[in-house]
Each structure stands twice: as C-alpha cells, then as structure tokens.
Amino acid sequence: MQASIHEGTAVPSAAKVGEVMQAIAEHKGCGTSGGSGKASCGSAAGQGDLPTEIWEKVKNHPCYSEEAHHHYARMHVAVAPACNIQCNYCNRKYDCANESRPGVVSEKLTPEQAAKKVLAVASTIPQMTVLGIAGPGDPLANPEKTFKTFELINKTAPDIKLCLSTNGLALPDHVDTIAGFNVDHVTITINMVDPEIGAKIYPWVFWKHKRYTGVEAAKLLTDRQLQGLEMLTERGILCKVNSVMIPGVNDKHLVEVNKAVKSRGAFLHNIMPLISAPEHGTVFGLTGQRGPTAQELKALQDSCEGEMNMMRHCRQCRADAVGLLGEDRSAEFTTDKIMAMEVNYDLDTRKAYQAKVEEERVAKVAAKQEELSTLAGEMSDIKLLVAVATKGSGLINEHFGHAKEFQVYELSTSGAKFVGHRRVDLYCQGGFGDEENLETAIRAINDCHAVFVAKIGGCPKADLLTAGIEPVDQFAHEFIEKSAIAWFKSYLDKVNSGEIEHVERGDAEIRQGALISAA
Ligand code: CLF
Ligand code: SF4
C-alpha cells in the first residue's frame, strides 16, 4: 500500500533537525521528574530546556513523559499478528485476560475495526491522547495493516498522536512511510549491540525470504535496528529504545547499548525487567532464566541515567491495552461492545476535558514546589523509597486493599522522584483480605520505608508495621509529591532529634506473571 502524505509532515531541514537533536541530547529529566529544580519534560510548570517542537510532542504522551502518565491515557490496537523474529522471552500462542506478555491479546482487529475502536475509546476516555500499534507481533512485519490503520485514524481522529513499536528488523524500509504519516514517536526494542549476546536472545530472524540463526541473525538484527534509529532521528522523529534486562545475559551489556543508542539520537531509554515463568511457555521461562530484582533493575537504570533520559514508568503493556498506564480497560471495548456503542467523537469535549487536566497539572506542580521549599537548607544524605496507592491524577487516592500496583518514589533532600512501580495482586477480595496476596504485596514493596494510601484496614496495617513499612493515610486524596516531601521532612526531623534511627531497607520482588510487550 502506498502511504498518503499529509500536509505538515514535511521533513525538516538538516540544520533544523541538527539543532533539535542537539537539544534532545543535552536535555535531561524526562521520566525522572525529580524535585531538584531540574526541568522535567513532563512538568506542566513549563517546558524547561526543551525546544517547543519537542515539548509539544511529549507533554501529553504518557510514555514519553513520566508526569503526563498520571493524567493521559494510551490505547493499542492489535492489528499486527505476524512477527519476523523470535525472542526467547515471547510466546504469542495463548491469551489470558489477567496476564500480559509479548503479543498477548484477546482479539485481533482489522484496520477498520481498529479505527472504530479508536473513536469509541476517544469518545469515552477524553484523556486518551495516543494510539500505539505494538503487536501482537511486529507492526512492520504487517506494514499494510499498520499503515492502513494509521491512514484511517489520521482521517477520523486527527488530534490523536500515532505511535509505533517495532523490533527494528524491517524499520529502515519503512522510515519514509512512517514520517509521511506524521508519526512522531517510534519505539525500537534493542536488547544488544553485540551479536554474540544477541544469539542468546534471538534464535532466528526472517529476512528477505530467508531464515537466519545464531550470531548471523543477531548481527543482521542489530545492524538494521541501529540503521533504523539513525534514519528516524535524522528526520526529527522521537525515538525511545526499550531493552529487556536479562540477568546473566545482557544486564551488564545494556550500559553499552545505552551509549550506542544515545549517540544515535535516541530520546529516551526504557530498561524493563524480564518477566519469566515456566507457565508462559517461553524459552526463558522453560529454561529457568530469572528476571532482575527491584534493586538490580534500579541500579542499572541509575547507572545509565547520567548518559540519557531513562523511562521508569513503563507497564509493559498488552498489545490491546486501553487506559492510563497501570490500568487496563480493554475489556470495556471488545469488538461486540464497540459495534453496539453509539460513538460520539467530539473534539471540543475532548479539548475542554484536557484543558481541565492541564489546570490540575499546574496545581500539582505548584504544590510540589511550595513543599520543596521547606526542604531548603536540609543537610542529609538519606535517600529512601516510599510506595503510593493511586488511581491517577497524581493523587493518593486508592485504598491499600484495592491497589493493583504501587508507584515508588525516591525521597531525598532534592525532593520526590518517581523511580518505578510494583504490580501486586489485590488484597481486598470484597469483605475479606487475602493473606497470601498481602504477603506478596509486602514483598513487592519491601525496599520501601512507608506506603501512602487513601485508606487501610487494621490487619494489613499491623502486618506492614511488623515488616518495617509505615502505613501512611494522613495524606488521603492529596497530591503525591507534595505529601511525600512533607512526610520526608518530618522523617528527617525525627532522625535528627534521635526519635528514630534511619535504617536501610532490603530488596523487593518484581511480581512474576505480569507482562512483557513488544512496545
Ligand atoms: Fe504504546 Fe509503546 Fe507507544 Fe506507549 S506503550 S506503542 S510508546 S503508546 Fe509505554 Fe506500554 Fe511501556 Fe510501551 S508503557 S509497554 S513504553
Ligand atoms: Fe516478535 Fe515482539 Fe514477540 Fe519478539 S517480543 S518475537 S519482536 S512479537
């Protein structure tokens, strides 16, 4: 299919692209939103040191801006079933509504069904700003379906940003088409730049009617991925690189990957944990390959942060995910339901809603800055983690027992910095608490000093305290960062007065049986 070229998608001049990419390379802070006063690309207080054209692209993209992910949603449409490579962490053979792993979806869609679904979701969820194609296979191994979907959405819902995630093998062949469709955001999953390491991750790739294996396959893949990355950044398209951290295979090597992708103009690096269990039926699951612990993952992300912007809020979404990152509303939008739905796509309503969201963001950032000023002059090396139960909007607005995940913030005299999230199984089972799930939830946040909740019952409170984690419900329905900074200030006061002694916490578990996605 020949892509239609839309107005306004002209390739910028080389000089302009050079300026912008230079600014990207120098920019730090996206996805970290620290309280250090350093600009964050998710900050509603301003665009900081970001060029306006980049700011416009990231400010309401939930994956490219950590701050935006509290407010804006994305959706994926599963129009791309085939894949042209095999990853040892992927099995697309079966679906489970409670699990997400590479390629797991409930329904595959035609481009026409996908376009209808986008309109249905956009009418129901006005904060849905981004449509991504991320599988269940590789979007560029299914170029007709992928680009037909983009064409239809460009026509019917032009305010929605288009996003694409690929393994990169076919990328160099499609860069011009991607640019022609005004796609501003492309993710490439790059797990290695050394074919010897790649041979341990990819058993084969299929290229120009031929199957390649071993080091030869990995060499072909890495060459094509890096070529595609360079071609995209030359055209001013924002590129995010996803890497799966596989302990003992590529964990140490990912520092080198980070340098390689930064030098080619990547905007953001997202290092995700391998989630691997035998029941997933993947090669790594069946051979007992473990994923990283929470501390191992954070240490690697921290070590790469000096080099470039790191994403830490990825939820490793399903290929048909709908909603805010961390929530999944895909069951509300099955094909049957969409066909029966009265779709009322109203741009004005969407804009009005988003204007309200922007007001909330400004208020949130102002509250954080005000609280941060109370830490001025504090001298302490203490850094600690806290967990937060939230339904979104940057508020502590979820009950402990209803939380499906906890967001994790690092607190220091620099402020509150989002550093990750932990998925957990529901503790509250409607009238009673599941003790086993409580234990796994505590293990998931075992590296945290406190957990901030809107409400919590007596039993879990006691168990958390026994585990050394302070349940904090005094900031119910208040802003997360402002509250966390206020709590940290009082923690420091208690340490300084000798009322409590600061102790380091242990490691935490990343829940197995969550998901991995090609996105
Ligand atoms: Fe989807 Fe990916 Fe676009 Fe986001 S997801 S195609 S960039 S709109 Fe986001 Fe999901 Fe992580 Fe992907 S949280 S898996 S990074
Ligand atoms: Fe293909 Fe993605 Fe699965 Fe890898 S993870 S085999 S690229 S669908």
Side-chain angles (χ1 to χ4, degrees):
M1 184 204 72
Q2 179 60 49
S4 61
I5 307 294
H6 292 250
E7 280 186 6
T9 62
V11 176
S13 72
K16 184 74 177 158
V17 169
E19 263 172 44
V20 169
M21 298 326 282
Q22 181 64 28
I24 289 174
E26 287 167 5
H27 170 69
K28 289 280 182 298
C30 181
T32 59
S33 109
S36 59
K38 193 167 67 172
S40 156
C41 55
S43 165
Q47 68 190 62
D49 53 357
L50 270 185
T52 299
E53 51 268 65
I54 305 296
W55 167 246
E56 287 302 321
K57 287 179 185 175
V58 302
K59 71 178 185 188
N60 60 3
H61 193 306
C63 301
Y64 282 69
S65 161
E66 186 278 308
E67 204 277 328
H69 102 280
H70 299 281
H71 307 278
Y72 289 104
R74 54 75 183 101
M75 71 176 289
H76 290 163
V77 285
V79 295
C83 193
N84 46 7
I85 70 172
Q86 180 61 53
C87 306
N88 279 335
Y89 48 76
C90 178
N91 174 12
R92 301 195 304 283
K93 285 203 181 108
Y94 71 100
D95 174 42
C96 166
N98 299 316
E99 300 281 344
S100 296
R101 297 182 310 284
V104 171
V105 293
S106 294
E107 295 180 303
K108 293 177 186 109
L109 303 179
T110 64
E112 290 72 22
Q113 288 169 324
K116 174 102 202 260
K117 181 171 179 176
V118 171
L119 287 183
V121 174
S123 311
T124 316
I125 309 178
Q127 68 272 42
M128 191 279 286
T129 48
V130 179
L131 177 271
I133 299 184
D138 185 76
L140 299 180
N142 305 261
E144 291 82 10
K145 290 175 183 149
T146 294
F147 294 127
K148 181 71 189 172
T149 305
F150 282 164
E151 183 189 328
L152 293 172
I153 291 162
N154 260 346
K155 273 188 204 142
T156 52
D159 69 316
I160 289 176
K161 286 187 167 65
L162 302 177
C163 196
L164 176 71
S165 177
T166 175
N167 62 42
L169 182 66
L171 182 56
D173 304 333
H174 296 290
V175 166
D176 288 334
T177 312
I178 290 168
F181 277 116
N182 209 11
V183 176
D184 287 332
H185 305 83
V186 174
T187 294
I188 315 170
T189 300
I190 301 182
N191 296 318
M192 54 85 208
V193 289
D194 176 348
E196 296 285 343
I197 292 173
K200 296 178 190 157
I201 303 171
Y202 305 103
W204 55 260
V205 311
F206 193 75
W207 172 240
K208 290 199 172 163
H209 313 293
K210 188 175 162 200
R211 185 180 289 242
Y212 295 81
T213 58
V215 173
E216 192 186 12
K219 170 92 174 64
L220 180 60
L221 182 62
T222 183
D223 287 349
R224 301 276 298 169
Q225 289 173 330
L226 296 179
Q227 183 192 354
L229 172 61
E230 279 177 3
M231 290 171 76
L232 288 168
T233 56
E234 273 165 17
R235 284 160 176 78
I237 293 171
L238 287 190
C239 291
K240 172 164 71 63
V241 168
N242 283 1
S243 302
V244 180
M245 179 182 180
I246 311 163
V249 176
N250 72 345
D251 48 343
K252 296 195 170 50
H253 176 60
L254 285 178
V255 175
E256 205 180 313
V257 170
N258 179 268
K259 290 191 173 114
V261 300
K262 180 193 159 86
S263 71
R264 288 167 177 84
F267 177 71
L268 195 57
H269 193 188
N270 172 24
I271 298 181
M272 311 177 290
L274 172 74
I275 306 283
S276 159
E279 60 270 27
H280 298 163
T282 61
V283 171
F284 282 151
L286 293 170
T287 54
Q289 171 64 53
R290 73 171 180 94
T293 67
Q295 278 186 358
E296 287 170 338
L297 178 66
K298 182 171 181 296
L300 178 58
Q301 290 169 332
D302 287 350
S303 73
C304 291
E305 195 164 68
E307 297 295 325
M308 70 182 292
N309 307 317
M310 299 301 294
M311 176 181 189
R312 299 177 192 244
H313 59 286
C314 176
R315 301 307 199 276
Q316 296 170 274
C317 321
R318 292 165 59 99
D320 59 2
V322 174
L324 291 172
L325 304 190
E327 73 172 2
D328 187 4
R329 297 179 60 176
S330 55
E332 291 172 44
F333 300 97
T334 59
T335 304
D336 285 353
K337 287 179 185 163
I338 290 164
M339 291 307 160
M341 232 179 227
E342 198 176 317
V343 171
N344 178 24
Y345 174 73
D346 178 2
L347 203 49
D348 289 340
T349 309
R350 285 174 56 75
K351 279 190 182 151
Y353 186 92
Q354 290 174 19
K356 222 172 119 247
V357 169
E358 289 306 313
E359 279 175 27
E360 279 173 19
R361 289 175 82 177
V362 171
K364 189 181 81 170
V365 173
K368 177 176 97 170
Q369 294 301 351
E370 195 185 329
E371 200 63 49
L372 197 54
S373 65
T374 67
L375 281 176
E378 283 283 353
M379 304 285 284
S380 172
D381 292 334
I382 292 177
K383 264 189 185 177
L384 54 82
L385 302 180
V386 296
V388 180
T390 175
K391 285 194 271 208
S393 302
L395 297 167
I396 302 164
N397 54 4
E398 183 63 286
H399 293 201
F400 179 85
H402 297 165
K404 290 186 186 149
E405 68 164 33
F406 292 95
Q407 296 190 355
V408 177
Y409 285 76
E410 184 173 71
L411 308 183
S412 68
T413 51
S414 300
K417 169 178 158 182
F418 180 99
V419 290
H421 61 90
R422 308 281 161 73
R423 287 178 63 144
V424 295
D425 296 314
L426 271 190
Y427 168 63
C428 179
Q429 300 290 327
F432 69 97
D434 183 320
E435 286 308 313
E436 204 175 309
N437 288 357
L438 178 57
E439 276 173 33
T440 58
I442 289 175
R443 284 205 296 276
I445 58 170
N446 186 51
D447 50 352
C448 296
H449 277 74
V451 56
F452 289 65
V453 296
K455 204 170 175 187
I456 184 166
C459 287
K461 215 176 207 177
D463 284 17
L464 283 162
L465 284 168
T466 305
I469 303 167
E470 181 187 338
V472 181
D473 55 7
Q474 77 195 76
F475 300 104
H477 302 285
E478 292 186 28
F479 289 125
I480 295 170
E481 286 156 305
K482 172 189 185 299
S483 306
I485 293 167
W487 177 87
F488 184 64
K489 173 92 171 64
S490 87
Y491 182 89
L492 287 184
D493 289 346
K494 286 183 204 160
V495 171
N496 292 337
S497 70
E499 187 184 334
I500 57 170
E501 188 189 348
H502 174 66
V503 286
E504 299 289 334
R505 299 283 307 161
D507 206 345
E509 271 177 25
I510 294 175
R511 176 183 174 275
Q512 293 297 301
L515 65 107
I516 296 254
S517 145

